[in-house]
Amino acid sequence: MNLTNVDMNLFLVLAAVLRERSATRAAARLHVTQSAVSNALARLRRLFDDPLFTRTHGGLIPTPRALALEPQLSAALASLAELDRAKQFELATTTRVWRLSFAEHYGPLLLPPLMASLRKRAPHAGLSVISVDQLVASDGLASGDVDLHLGVPGKRSPSWRSQRLFEDELVCVLKKGHPASKRPLSIESFAALPQVQGRVMPNRGSEVDDALLPYSTKREVVLSVPYLSAIFPVVASTDCVATVSRRHAEFFARTLPLAIVKHPLSLPKVEVSLNWHRLADKDPAVVALRGLIGECIAERQYG
């Protein structure tokens, strides 16, 4: 292939169609017409001497040749993007809008100190928070739709890079004045209490039930929610108990009548980390955001 005779924009079209599996969505992503994408695909088919995609009711299905090109194309475009990122990066003048993903309960803990730091040091920049569901559905780190993920990922991709932020322990929270908060909880008395449980990720949230197995006792979960911040006002107004991280319990206990009690079970520590795709290793804007978040954790300890 003689690249001097090839329109480089064709490769952008191919990457977009490979990702979207649709000429219409690829056109919207590239801000061009659908006919422009169709014309580009016709030229690409001649260039590679391969149909590249098969049209079905569910969208465009890549041929084996197109699938083989996908990782090479992704790496090549990422390398080209580095040429632009290599320009000197300055926090004070950047207009970058970072895309950060985390479970909702980290919001009230992280965003106030982080935004205060950004307003002071990067006043022209912005921050867009992406839900964990959206991150998982779109494989956001690999696609570039998300710069950083903060949390406890159940399963890290081999292409992810991680930076440990802090370790936390799991504790029990009860309504302030609850009889069970006035003495150390036994495993039996804990299991007998009505339980509120948070499940942010499908592969997380079974730690308590797993730890109860050797004791041949079960707990009764009366409320299960996907939003952990909803747990605290419920516990503060009922006779229920919940298992949460100490850092979150201490934060919400400032404004709600909550008692924090040592957990009777031996539960694994919660290790919270920052995660990003290896292709963002040298992105100076992502490196800068990692530094700002690390400073917020170290200096403010979430407030």
Side-chain angles (χ1 to χ4, degrees):
M1 183 185 299
N2 186 354
L3 291 179
T4 58
N5 298 322
V6 177
D7 181 356
M8 294 294 108
N9 288 317
L10 293 177
F11 297 117
L12 294 176
V13 173
L14 179 56
V17 179
L18 279 167
R19 183 185 172 193
E20 299 293 344
R21 301 299 199 258
S22 161
T24 302
R25 291 194 296 270
R29 184 176 185 83
L30 295 170
H31 304 290
V32 299
T33 64
Q34 185 174 344
S35 62
V37 170
S38 297
N39 291 335
L41 285 176
R43 294 169 64 188
L44 284 162
R45 291 185 179 103
R46 291 193 296 270
L47 182 66
F48 289 105
D49 191 24
D50 187 90
L52 295 178
F53 296 94
T54 301
R55 189 176 300 278
T56 69
H57 291 297
L60 298 177
I61 305 300
T63 65
R65 174 67 167 143
L67 290 173
L69 289 169
E70 189 168 17
Q72 301 172 49
L73 182 61
S74 176
L77 292 177
S79 295
L80 289 172
E82 290 295 334
L83 296 177
D84 182 61
R85 292 170 182 166
K87 294 184 296 186
Q88 187 174 11
F89 175 80
E90 293 288 346
L91 271 174
T93 58
T94 184
T95 57
R96 175 74 173 257
V97 177
W98 285 284
R99 293 152 301 187
L100 177 62
S101 177
F102 52 75
E104 52 82 36
H105 57 286
Y106 290 108
L109 281 72
L110 175 66
L111 288 179
L114 179 57
M115 286 307 300
S117 179
L118 284 176
R119 296 308 303 150
K120 180 180 179 180
R121 299 173 62 181
H124 306 292
L127 185 66
S128 177
V129 178
I130 309 299
S131 72
V132 175
D133 287 345
Q134 187 177 342
L135 169 76
V136 173
S138 66
D139 194 10
L141 291 182
S143 68
D145 285 346
V146 177
D147 295 311
L148 288 171
H149 165 256
L150 181 147
V152 188
K155 184 179 180 181
R156 288 182 176 89
S157 166
S159 61
W160 284 22
R161 301 291 182 264
S162 295
Q163 170 189 336
R164 182 180 178 275
L165 289 179
F166 62 87
E167 189 177 77
D168 207 352
E169 66 173 334
L170 294 173
V171 297
C172 292
V173 285
L174 297 147
K175 181 180 180 179
K176 197 168 185 178
H178 193 298
S181 69
K182 299 177 181 179
R183 56 184 181 276
L185 270 177
S186 67
I187 293 173
E188 291 74 18
S189 59
F190 163 77
L193 291 169
Q195 310 262 328
V196 178
Q197 174 179 263
R199 283 186 178 272
V200 177
M201 299 286 282
N203 53 356
R204 289 189 54 79
S206 63
E207 295 88 350
V208 173
D209 297 304
D210 293 342
L212 282 172
L213 285 175
Y215 301 97
S216 300
T217 185
K218 293 183 178 180
R219 60 179 181 149
E220 181 185 8
V221 176
V222 297
L223 174 65
S224 181
V225 294
Y227 310 111
L228 295 193
S229 58
I231 287 175
F232 299 96
V234 170
V235 170
S237 59
T238 67
D239 60 343
C240 297
V241 65
T243 299
V244 297
S245 70
R246 177 174 291 278
R247 199 173 293 239
H248 283 91
E250 291 175 348
F251 178 86
F252 283 96
R254 297 174 187 172
T255 54
L256 292 171
L258 294 169
I260 302 171
V261 178
K262 179 178 174 60
H263 210 290
L265 292 166
S266 296
L267 298 174
K269 297 282 188 179
V270 177
E271 186 172 301
V272 178
S273 63
L274 274 178
N275 307 282
W276 63 94
H277 197 272
R278 60 179 177 79
L279 295 177
D281 261 338
K282 297 180 181 179
D283 184 333
V286 175
V287 172
L289 182 60
R290 283 160 42 197
L292 291 175
I293 292 173
E295 289 175 11
C296 289
I297 300 298
E299 296 175 6
R300 299 285 297 275
Q301 290 296 299
Y302 285 141

